[in-house]
Amino acid sequence: MIVSLVGMPGSGKSTVGRHLARQLGLRFVDSDAEIERQLGTSIRDYFAAHGEDAFRDLEQRMIDELTRQPGCVLATGGGAVLRPANREALHARSQVFYLRSTPEELFRRLRHDTTRPLLQVGDPQRRLRELFRDRDPLYRRCAHFVVETTRPSVPALIGMVLMQLELAGIIDPDRVPSPIDHPPVEPPAARH
């Protein structure tokens, strides 16, 4: 089984992906990290030297390769869905979750980030709104499931993903933690 995570930069794909992989007993793969490992340089530097088209070519080859490997949770780059070949490979070979956040929430999370090439502009919040407007329909087209990420904690997001996988009959219910197994901690009784 491959579970792929798509969404805007800062939507939590890598964080949720690591925890989800651990929960499912699968390996975690971040397509951007794999690209950087192969290049021996950062995506930001590669982007600056060779441009977005050259990067997207590398990304397409990487996604094709990763979606052919067995058993992993794959976090994709925010722009992976721009290429139809990537959307098709992800949708056909994996269970795709779109971690959907509002541009305002993304800006709150990313306002101090200097590593994302597409956000190194004068007005990053406006840029996030533009990217969201263009990419949201592509994420939706690619995804089997959409999970809103604006408010929930990482454990809550993982629970939502696991629940969707269970409801779809993709994973065994025994892999989904039950609230009965982990009852909430009761506050201590008040002393009089």
Side-chain angles (χ1 to χ4, degrees):
M1 172 178 62
I2 300 175
V3 175
S4 297
L5 304 174
V6 300
M8 290 283 290
S11 61
K13 299 179 298 288
S14 295
T15 302
V16 169
R18 274 188 207 87
H19 291 282
L20 185 61
R22 195 174 308 122
Q23 184 73 40
L24 293 172
L26 298 171
R27 68 191 172 91
F28 171 71
V29 183
D30 182 308
S31 63
D32 282 352
E34 288 298 305
I35 291 168
E36 287 183 335
R37 191 181 56 72
Q38 278 190 2
L39 291 174
T41 187
S42 71
I43 289 172
R44 181 180 181 174
D45 291 345
Y46 187 84
F47 226 86
H50 303 282
E52 184 173 356
D53 285 343
F55 169 73
R56 297 295 174 204
D57 291 341
L58 289 172
E59 182 178 54
Q60 184 174 329
R61 285 193 298 275
M62 182 61 67
I63 286 176
D64 182 59
E65 178 185 317
L66 293 172
T67 57
R68 292 179 187 278
Q69 297 177 6
C72 71
V73 174
L74 171 61
T76 62
V81 296
L82 296 173
R83 293 255 174 117
N86 293 344
R87 293 193 305 269
E88 291 163 16
L90 290 164
H91 192 83
R93 299 177 195 153
S94 69
Q95 296 300 315
V96 183
F97 283 83
Y98 169 21
L99 302 184
R100 188 172 190 267
S101 295
T102 65
E104 293 71 27
E105 177 68 15
L106 295 168
F107 178 71
R108 188 184 65 73
R109 294 179 196 164
L110 298 175
R111 66 185 177 272
H112 302 299
D113 190 317
T114 59
T115 63
R116 299 170 198 264
L118 291 175
L119 298 180
Q120 305 314 304
V121 295
D123 187 349
Q125 187 165 17
R126 181 172 170 221
R127 181 70 178 133
L128 283 166
R129 284 190 192 112
E130 292 165 355
L131 290 171
F132 182 84
R133 180 196 64 223
D134 296 343
R135 294 178 180 183
D136 184 61
L138 301 176
Y139 294 132
R140 287 176 178 279
R141 196 173 308 150
C142 180
H144 296 95
F145 307 95
V146 178
V147 177
E148 297 291 336
T149 68
T150 302
R151 290 284 175 237
S153 64
V154 170
L157 285 171
I158 292 161
M160 286 189 265
V161 170
L162 291 170
M163 182 181 67
Q164 291 298 326
L165 289 169
E166 178 189 2
L167 291 172
I170 296 164
I171 63 169
D172 186 320
D174 292 339
R175 291 185 118 160
V176 180
S178 167
I180 296 169
D181 296 335
H182 305 284
V185 176
E186 293 294 323
R191 293 186 185 157
H192 296 213

